[in-house]
Every structure is written in C-alpha cells, then in structure tokens.
Amino acid sequence: MRPITARSRVIERLHPDMSALNRRAALINHALFWAVASALVTILLMILAFVDAFFGLPHERGVAPMLI
C-alpha cells in the first residue's frame, strides 16, 4: 500500500471535481481559440479593405468571400 500523504489527501478530495475541472479547462481552451480566430479574421478584413481602397477597387468584392 502507498503511504497516505498530504498530496494524496488533496487528490482524493479533488477527484470528484476533476471531470468538471477538465470540462472547464476545455471550454476555456475553445473560447481562447475562437477569440484568436475571430481577431485574425477581423484583421484580415481590415487589411483587405485598405488594400482595396488603395487600389481603387470596390471593396465589396474583396470582402464578400471572407464573409461566406
């Protein structure tokens, strides 16, 4: 048998909550992923709008494919 230590007591106490904590960590991970993805898409839209304006192109045609 393993000796009972303070660490094993903490693990035993937290074990019932581990599935909930893992689920929360996964949700936070997904939220961060989509936050970064939306920021990147926003930046791309802004860059594309400025490039279209610089070259005098109608920006609707350049931005529309990114919104589909």
Side-chain angles (χ1 to χ4, degrees), residues 38-60 62-64 66:
S38 68
L40 291 174
V41 169
T42 302
I43 290 170
L44 287 174
L45 284 170
M46 290 177 61
I47 290 171
L48 193 57
F50 278 107
V51 168
D52 286 345
F54 181 75
F55 289 116
L57 301 172
H59 67 279
E60 294 87 4
V63 175
M66 293 188 74

Side-chain angles (χ1 to χ4, degrees), residues 9-46:
R9 286 188 198 129
V10 170
I11 291 172
E12 288 175 8
R13 183 173 52 91
L14 292 177
H15 183 66
D17 298 330
M18 288 305 284
S19 63
L21 292 174
N22 286 335
R23 194 169 132 247
R24 285 183 185 179
L27 287 173
I28 290 171
N29 189 22
H30 290 289
L32 287 172
F33 172 80
W34 288 112
V36 170
S38 68
L40 291 174
V41 169
T42 302
I43 290 170
L44 287 174
L45 284 170
M46 290 177 61

